[in-house]
């Protein structure tokens, strides 16, 4: 092996080790969060409007966040079109949902805090559409 090849290999290894060592530390520094979810109806009829309401919390306080809803379909979480909102000035969300597909539906409500120092919160609920 040539001297320059060894130096490049050593440099790449050192960079990779540095990146590996710093990445988990940055991820671990995020403050934990949780999201509350209350459904106004867990057994809606197909096409009926129901609401998901709640807050995103971190360190015992509500925090501003973007809230999105996904559904589990064909083995993957899929975003529901239009099911996204920002929390209001009281840091609460109130999101209207209409589901067409009948049967038991898993909904994942995701709260992404505005503060990048706070982790994303998720909660899954079950709704049965008639």
């Amino acid at each position: 092996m040539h001297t320059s090849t060894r130096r490049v290999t050593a440099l790449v290894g050192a960079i990779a080790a540095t990146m590996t060592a710093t990445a988990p530390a940055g991820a671990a520094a995020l403050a934990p969060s949780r999201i509350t979810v209350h459904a106004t109806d867990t057994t809606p009829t197909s096409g009926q409007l129901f609401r998901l309401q709640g807050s995103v919390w971190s360190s015992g306080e509500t925090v501003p966040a973007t809230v999105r809803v996904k559904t589990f379909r064909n083995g993957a979480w899929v975003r529901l079109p239009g099911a996204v909102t920002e929390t209001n000035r009281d840091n609460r969300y109130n999101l209207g949902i209409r589901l067409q597909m009948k049967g038991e539906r898993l909904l994942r409500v995701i709260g992404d805090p505005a503060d990048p120092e706070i982790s994303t919160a998720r909660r899954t609920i079950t709704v049965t559409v008639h």
Side-chain angles (χ1 to χ4, degrees):
M1 189 181 281
H2 291 91
T3 305
S4 60
T5 304
R6 279 186 235 144
R7 287 183 184 153
V8 169
T9 302
L11 179 61
V12 169
I15 291 171
T18 302
M19 291 175 69
T20 303
T22 58
L30 294 179
S33 68
R34 65 182 176 88
I35 187 167
T36 60
V37 180
H38 171 74
T40 57
D41 189 355
T42 57
T43 58
T45 57
S46 178
Q48 175 188 347
L49 178 70
F50 67 98
R51 304 196 84 70
L52 298 176
Q53 303 165 332
S55 302
V56 177
W57 291 77
S58 182
S59 300
E61 296 182 0
T62 59
V63 295
T66 301
V67 178
R68 294 178 174 80
V69 181
K70 294 183 176 185
T71 186
F72 195 73
R73 189 177 318 149
N74 299 325
W77 289 102
V78 180
R79 184 182 279 180
L80 287 175
V84 61
T85 191
E86 300 291 326
T87 54
N88 62 20
R89 66 179 176 210
D90 296 323
N91 294 330
R92 295 192 49 78
Y93 69 90
N94 186 352
L95 189 58
I97 303 288
R98 289 183 199 272
L99 298 174
Q100 304 297 327
M101 192 183 328
K102 294 182 180 184
E104 191 171 277
R105 303 284 301 274
L106 289 176
L107 300 179
R108 177 173 280 173
V109 184
I110 303 163
D112 187 17
D115 184 342
E117 300 292 318
I118 302 173
S119 65
T120 300
R122 293 171 183 82
R123 166 117 353 136
T124 302
I125 64 168
T126 302
V127 176
T128 303
V129 181
H130 297 283

